Amino acid sequence: MLEEIKALDKQYYMNTFGERLPVCFTSGQGMRLKADDGREFYDFLGGIAVNALGHGHPKFKSALKAQIDKVIHTSSLYYIENQAKLAKRIVDATCADKVFFANSGAEANEGAMKLAKIYFYKQGLDKYEIITLDKSFHGRTLATVAATGQEKYQKPYYPLLPGVKQIEPNSIDAVKAAVTDKTAAVMIELIQGESGVRPMDKEYVSELRRICDEHNILLIFDEVQTGMGRTGKLFAYEHYGIEPDIFTSAKALGGGVPIGAVCAKDKIASAFEPGDHGTTFGGNPLSTAAGLAVFDIFEEEQLVENAAKMGALFKEKLSELMEKYPEKIKEVRGEGLLIGIQLEDTIAKAASMLLFDDGILVSLCAGNTIRIAPPLIITKNDVLLFISELETVLKKL
Ligand SMILES: *Cc1c(COP(=O)(O)O)cnc(C)c1O
């Protein structure tokens, strides 16, 4: 069947993903995915930080089935019970006062950028510039590509949205040099995911907060990847002891059902007035039922706490492995269950392929870093299995 699907994909699907890994999954349970040809894989990537509940979670499935039996979509012209309730869940659990739902991470970040601009526009202030970081990733829409500090994603789409510029990460001098009286917002990932799991320093983030306050600039955290328990806190900003003005969430928020969220303090959110922003699908009854089920299951199974515990275990075991293979493992980065294992440049690609051959799903980012972002339901045995598989692979290289 795989060959048949590959042929269809080649003929009919736009070739944005090139040669994909040679597998087609047809079912999943917990940490495991099963392919059409019977092969079984351990999912340590969680659909790129999406499947926080793992696969086929019984309570999640029944919540979705129940919602499908009731109603799937109604439109934003009418009140939506799940949407209102999920917004409350997010507000109760975070520093935000108001929420707006979109369908993806990029769209949530677009919403955040629009909100920052309109916030100053409504005050009659000429502040529209948005500063982001080199090596960042904020999405694939035109505005978020302008915000994404990676030339390979930007170049074909010049001219980009004006007023968006990138600076060096973790450098307060760079922030000071870039800020002008036109700066509306600084948007960052607290841990840069796609570019190799690169965390921001604590001092950098608190100084950034101070500079934003001093210059009347909004601080936006793109928590599309770091959010929803991934780092061992519900949102990664909690590690830093400061609060953003706006943050976004997506990936794990719907447990696999597409949803994104723009979350903001009241003072800023109120800049959006009727007609200023909108969406057809965003926050519909089905995707917000998914979000509500994710919150319920997180609480019942204490998954954020589990992410912290299992993340610590990973860190301990990976540093042992690094001591054992110092020439092969260069650095281990990340927080909780968002982990980057930087390997020696020449072996990284081969290591990720060997892991795949052994039925272990990870992703290779920045050319030399194995990223893992497993479901938050992961157990101690799963962690130990990964460590032993990684060691087996390292021995071969
Ligand atoms: C994945 C990701 C996005 C884009 O999300 P999409 O749902 O693919 O649009 C934006 N920001 C960060 C930090 C991400 O990891």
Side-chain angles (χ1 to χ4, degrees):
M1 191 165 93
L2 181 61
E3 287 312 312
E4 200 181 306
I5 295 160
K6 271 176 86 171
L8 284 174
D9 177 88
K10 196 170 167 55
Q11 186 166 0
Y12 296 108
Y13 200 78
M14 293 192 196
N15 191 26
T16 57
F17 301 109
E19 189 76 9
R20 308 186 202 212
L21 287 159
V23 67
C24 176
F25 296 116
T26 46
S27 64
Q29 197 56 53
M31 288 286 294
R32 289 161 189 259
L33 277 168
K34 204 165 177 180
D36 59 339
D37 52 13
R39 279 181 294 165
E40 284 221 22
F41 286 77
Y42 256 95
D43 189 0
F44 287 91
L45 186 59
I48 317 186
V50 168
N51 299 304
L53 308 176
H55 302 280
H57 192 290
K59 184 155 183 194
F60 186 58
K61 286 200 296 193
S62 41
L64 290 179
K65 285 177 185 167
Q67 187 58 48
I68 287 168
D69 284 340
K70 286 193 215 160
V71 69
I72 294 175
H73 180 85
T74 53
S75 104
S76 312
L77 297 174
Y78 317 109
Y79 289 97
I80 298 172
E81 180 185 358
N82 294 342
Q83 185 181 87
K85 288 186 170 166
L86 181 59
K88 176 176 174 5
R89 288 297 276 273
I90 295 174
V91 166
D92 286 348
T94 68
C95 64
D97 302 313
K98 289 268 162 51
V99 177
F100 178 88
F101 291 116
N103 306 287
S104 67
E107 208 192 325
N109 289 336
E110 287 256 352
M113 292 167 80
K114 283 179 77 177
L115 181 57
K117 290 179 106 164
I118 203 170
Y119 170 70
F120 292 109
Y121 171 82
K122 292 265 164 101
Q123 298 172 58
L125 293 174
D126 189 26
K127 280 163 83 74
Y128 56 84
E129 286 176 357
I130 294 171
I131 297 171
T132 64
L133 301 181
D134 290 336
K135 298 198 170 82
S136 57
F137 185 84
H138 298 293
R140 303 298 205 127
T141 62
L142 277 169
T144 57
V145 158
T148 291
Q150 302 189 52
E151 206 188 39
K152 64 178 175 189
Y153 295 140
Q154 295 186 327
K155 217 169 178 183
Y157 304 108
Y158 287 163
L160 299 173
L161 179 71
V164 185
K165 64 182 168 193
Q166 279 82 52
I167 59 172
E168 188 192 333
N170 270 327
S171 162
I172 279 300
D173 287 345
V175 176
K176 286 181 175 157
V179 161
T180 73
D181 57 2
K182 305 259 183 280
T183 308
V186 177
M187 177 164 77
I188 67 168
E189 296 155 88
L190 288 166
I191 301 174
Q192 293 186 324
E194 304 303 302
S195 62
V197 188
R198 301 184 172 277
M200 295 301 132
D201 301 334
K202 288 230 158 74
E203 314 78 72
Y204 173 72
V205 174
S206 45
E207 188 60 11
L208 183 60
R209 176 71 275 180
R210 200 193 59 71
I211 291 173
C212 286
D213 289 340
E214 186 181 307
H215 295 271
N216 191 20
I217 294 168
L218 300 181
L219 183 56
I220 305 173
F221 291 158
D222 174 351
E223 293 237 28
V224 167
Q225 187 156 169
T226 51
M228 293 310 289
R230 174 63 41 205
T231 67
K233 302 270 187 197
L234 190 61
F235 285 92
Y237 73 79
E238 297 168 42
H239 292 290
Y240 289 82
I242 53 121
E243 292 179 350
D245 300 298
I246 306 174
F247 67 92
T248 55
S249 176
K251 289 198 162 86
L253 179 58
V257 177
I259 185 169
V262 186
C263 313
K265 301 273 190 194
D266 225 347
K267 180 175 147 206
I268 296 142
S270 60
F272 272 158
E273 292 173 288
D276 287 333
H277 191 49
T279 171
T280 297
F281 293 117
N284 84 6
L286 184 65
S287 65
T288 45
L292 284 169
V294 167
F295 267 92
D296 283 343
I297 297 164
F298 268 35
E299 271 174 27
E300 280 167 28
E301 301 185 11
Q302 308 220 315
L303 293 183
V304 182
E305 294 78 0
N306 190 56
K309 264 189 235 148
M310 294 301 124
L313 182 62
F314 260 120
K315 215 168 227 177
E316 179 195 323
K317 295 291 166 192
L318 285 169
S319 48
E320 283 171 22
L321 216 51
M322 188 160 72
E323 269 168 40
K324 224 162 144 185
Y325 302 94
E327 71 293 350
K328 292 180 179 168
I329 302 182
K330 291 294 158 195
E331 196 177 26
V332 177
R333 296 184 293 267
E335 192 65 55
L337 293 175
L338 181 56
I339 301 170
I341 308 158
Q342 186 178 329
L343 300 180
E344 205 280 310
D345 286 1
T346 56
I347 64 165
K349 172 95 189 151
S352 75
M353 290 315 299
L354 285 173
L355 284 169
F356 179 80
D357 293 342
D358 287 349
I360 304 287
L361 302 177
V362 299
S363 84
L364 185 69
C365 41
N368 61 13
T369 300
I370 303 271
R371 172 180 45 175
I372 57 171
L376 310 192
I377 56 159
I378 190 170
T379 65
K380 187 175 171 194
N381 282 343
D382 301 322
V383 176
L384 298 179
L385 175 132
F386 178 86
I387 297 295
S388 105
E389 289 286 338
L390 181 61
E391 178 160 20
T392 307
V393 161
L394 290 177
K395 277 184 185 155
K396 290 185 196 160
L397 293 165

